[in-house]
Amino acid sequence: MGWLAGPRARARGGVGSPRRAVGEEPDYRFSLANERTFLAWIRTALALLAGGIAVVQFVPSFGIGWARHLLGISLVAVATMISATSYSRWQRRERAIRLGAPLPASLFPRLLTVGIAVIMVFALAFILIDVATGRA
Amino acid sequence: MTDDRRARAPEPCADAVDPGLQSERTYLSWQRTGLSLAGIGALLAHDALGRHRPLLAGGLLTALAGLLLTARAQRRYRATVAAVRAGRSPTDQRAVAVTAALTTVLCLVGLAAILFS
């Protein structure tokens, strides 16, 4: 639980300094912006996770029996992808900031947008099928 | 907390060293993340009460972790302000790593909960 240690410990041993420090000490505003971006990704993952659990737990069953599970599993799978890659994304950007290099380009936001759009299209289709067959 | 900070740093234009209120925004971001985590914990615990008994402990632990993270956000804020004032980098690699790991484990637990429901 060392990460719970207060500012005093950090001032003493520099707990917070990156282990593989490269380049120069960057403008702290860039580091904090990077950290907030990381946290925004984490919250995105948590929101998708909550949505995935909620769609299985609270949404009434669709006409197609496996529909809720398909939606829930894909949402949580996307959340897992985001959170599993979030640390390396943060670290790559931190390195780039320290080296004064351009931020690494990433296909990830585009993939994520397409993935969520596909899941939403499936959700819409399930609802429309229920409406068309008079279930809803 | 604000009063506490003012007592230690009496200079009137202390905020001028922090244009854009970066430390505050980061603090609020950590707080939101902690509260989201606590919310997910509550959701998991609720799910556990209905169907998956074993998830109850996981849900409560997650809620606890979320509350710890929320409480820690304040300490982190003070550490950030101190680091900025001392000209050190406010980066906290360990907190980032722990948060990322916690969220990943949580996602896998959620996946398992759906698969085995």
Side-chain angles (χ1 to χ4, degrees):
Chain A
M1 298 302 261
W3 59 284
L4 278 169
R8 252 166 286 142
R10 195 160 293 118
R12 258 202 323 271
V15 172
S17 57
R19 256 169 265 152
R20 273 176 290 164
V22 292
E24 303 172 346
E25 285 287 298
D27 187 333
Y28 74 95
R29 285 172 291 176
F30 297 161
S31 290
L32 291 179
N34 188 27
E35 192 170 302
R36 286 198 299 276
T37 308
F38 164 78
L39 290 171
W41 277 113
I42 291 289
R43 284 196 303 277
T44 304
L46 290 175
L48 288 169
L49 171 65
I53 295 177
V55 83
V56 173
Q57 198 181 352
F58 299 120
V59 174
S61 186
F62 288 106
I64 304 168
W66 41 265
R68 282 186 309 171
H69 282 74
L70 178 74
L71 293 178
I73 288 169
S74 3
L75 284 172
V76 178
V78 172
T80 311
M81 256 168 56
I82 293 176
S83 53
T85 55
S86 60
Y87 177 76
S88 67
R89 209 171 315 119
W90 172 84
Q91 200 181 34
R92 261 187 294 136
R93 289 183 183 164
E94 196 67 22
R95 279 178 70 88
I97 290 169
R98 293 188 75 94
L99 293 169
L103 290 180
S106 172
L107 269 180
F108 197 69
R110 195 178 299 179
L111 281 176
L112 185 67
T113 311
V114 172
I116 292 179
V118 168
I119 297 173
M120 294 305 120
V121 167
F122 268 96
L124 185 65
F126 292 141
I127 294 170
L128 286 179
I129 289 171
D130 274 13
V131 170
T133 55
R135 273 183 52 99
Chain B
M1 189 203 76
T2 313
D3 291 338
D4 190 16
R5 190 162 50 90
R6 288 234 175 92
R8 261 187 277 163
E11 60 265 40
C13 53
D15 282 346
V17 298
D18 189 10
L21 297 176
Q22 308 286 335
S23 309
E24 255 99 340
R25 281 159 60 194
T26 309
Y27 161 60
L28 290 169
S29 207
W30 274 105
Q31 198 182 46
R32 280 200 300 279
T33 308
L35 289 173
S36 305
L37 209 58
I40 297 273
L43 186 71
L44 276 180
H46 180 270
D47 196 18
L49 289 180
R51 285 171 297 182
H52 313 97
R53 287 276 158 189
L55 267 185
L56 187 60
L60 292 178
L61 274 179
T62 306
L64 186 69
L67 293 177
L68 271 178
L69 209 63
T70 310
R72 192 191 164 282
Q74 287 206 355
R75 290 173 154 212
R76 170 94 177 97
Y77 171 71
R78 279 182 232 150
T80 304
V81 170
V84 166
R85 203 159 275 158
R88 279 180 288 118
S89 169
T91 306
D92 188 347
Q93 187 174 27
R94 198 174 307 184
V96 170
V98 167
T99 309
L102 200 63
T103 311
T104 308
V105 169
L106 202 57
C107 285
L108 293 174
V109 169
L111 202 56
I114 292 178
L115 284 175
F116 298 115
S117 65

